[in-house]
Amino acid sequence: MRSDVTTLPGSPERPNEDWAAAALPASGTGGTIVLLDGVTPPAGDDGCVHTVPWFTARLGGALTELSASRPDMPLFEILARAIRRTADAHRNTCDLSHVRTPQATVVLARWDETTVEHLVLSDSALLLEAPDGSVRAVLDDRLDRVPDEILRSREATDRLRNQEGGFFTAAADPAVAERAVTGTTPRAGVRALAALTDGASRWVELFGAGDWTDCFGVLREEGPSGLLRRVRALEQADAEAGGIRRWKLHDDATAVYTEL
């Protein structure tokens, strides 16, 4: 296994809320990758005394340990246990029922000699490259289905957060793990994979600089750092042209590229 990870903060004034890890089990066969994109809360109370990076580090650490050490456990159960473990770490100090309690998007991938398992929750992306070079994107598009006018309203967004008909993130309720997009692929059908937070997937989803196959080609030739440089250049050019397309010029951006 060869894995390459790059992350960039959206702003030097704010901590990077993304989190990523790659692990090789002690057996020497297979591996796992974990990618989280912490959800930046709007200004105001979220019921928690901890920061989003505190949350993503706790959740990411639990996901890495469990996915690497418990091959008998399906990924959705690993996510549920990691959420519960993280919630228990601040249940006595924070209001975990608050709709904006710290939360994150999740990408998990795990493989052995025969199978590649995947789990995606919310708007980060997992890309699977087949031996013939074709690329399949595993996406949870529920947030994309929410109209922009709703997302511009904090109250309207809160009513859809972790609710049926809305979208789901990993927060404090382990039951959300059953809402994740999951599946398996024969190991022989995957030669490489990549995980992208939405700050990195902007290259495809916001700017349309190429499709997912093109994106994977950039990752293969230039690595995650090359993709993120391209994203930042597009963001800057768009801003200079007066066409900032989202509420913030730069977002935390993380990309993981792994050859199996």
Side-chain angles (χ1 to χ4, degrees), residues 35-55:
L35 178 74
L36 305 179
D37 182 353
V39 177
T40 304
D45 179 46
D46 61 8
C48 187
V49 300
H50 300 98
T51 64
V52 174
W54 178 93
F55 174 81

Side-chain angles (χ1 to χ4, degrees), residues 101-118:
T101 190
Q103 52 205 271
T105 75
V106 181
V107 174
L108 280 174
R110 182 175 63 182
W111 59 95
D112 57 21
E113 301 94 328
T114 61
T115 305
V116 178
E117 305 168 77
H118 67 257

Side-chain angles (χ1 to χ4, degrees), residues 184-257:
T184 60
T185 306
R187 170 67 180 80
V190 182
R191 72 178 182 188
L193 51 83
L196 311 173
T197 62
D198 66 341
S201 65
R202 284 181 167 195
W203 193 81
V204 173
E205 296 182 305
L206 181 62
F207 295 108
D211 60 18
W212 293 117
T213 300
D214 298 324
C215 182
F216 213 98
V218 172
L219 288 164
R220 180 176 291 281
E221 296 299 321
E222 303 176 25
S225 59
L227 176 65
L228 298 194
R229 282 195 299 269
R230 287 174 176 244
V231 170
R232 288 293 188 256
L234 287 167
E235 291 168 336
Q236 193 60 42
D238 190 58
E240 292 171 358
I244 298 176
R245 306 182 194 186
R246 291 189 64 171
W247 66 278
K248 50 186 174 182
L249 172 59
H250 301 303
D251 195 4
D252 297 338
T254 303
V256 183
Y257 172 76

Side-chain angles (χ1 to χ4, degrees), residues 91-245:
R91 192 179 307 279
N92 293 332
T93 58
C94 306
D95 176 12
L96 302 189
S97 67
H98 197 293
V99 71
R100 291 188 298 278
T101 190
Q103 52 205 271
T105 75
V106 181
V107 174
L108 280 174
R110 182 175 63 182
W111 59 95
D112 57 21
E113 301 94 328
T114 61
T115 305
V116 178
E117 305 168 77
H118 67 257
L119 178 150
V120 176
L121 186 68
S122 200
D123 61 348
S124 291
L126 176 69
L127 308 181
L128 305 174
E129 185 188 44
D132 64 3
S134 60
V135 174
R136 176 165 64 99
V138 180
L139 307 170
D140 176 359
D141 66 353
R142 283 169 288 200
L143 182 59
D144 293 335
R145 296 183 220 156
V146 179
D148 288 343
E149 57 268 23
I150 291 179
L151 294 178
R152 283 192 287 267
S153 165
R154 182 175 68 181
E155 291 75 15
T157 301
D158 283 347
R159 286 193 291 271
L160 294 180
R161 192 182 302 278
N162 289 319
Q163 298 292 329
E164 288 296 337
F167 60 96
F168 296 91
T169 58
D173 182 5
V176 76
E178 298 181 2
R179 306 296 186 181
V181 177
T182 60
T184 60
T185 306
R187 170 67 180 80
V190 182
R191 72 178 182 188
L193 51 83
L196 311 173
T197 62
D198 66 341
S201 65
R202 284 181 167 195
W203 193 81
V204 173
E205 296 182 305
L206 181 62
F207 295 108
D211 60 18
W212 293 117
T213 300
D214 298 324
C215 182
F216 213 98
V218 172
L219 288 164
R220 180 176 291 281
E221 296 299 321
E222 303 176 25
S225 59
L227 176 65
L228 298 194
R229 282 195 299 269
R230 287 174 176 244
V231 170
R232 288 293 188 256
L234 287 167
E235 291 168 336
Q236 193 60 42
D238 190 58
E240 292 171 358
I244 298 176
R245 306 182 194 186

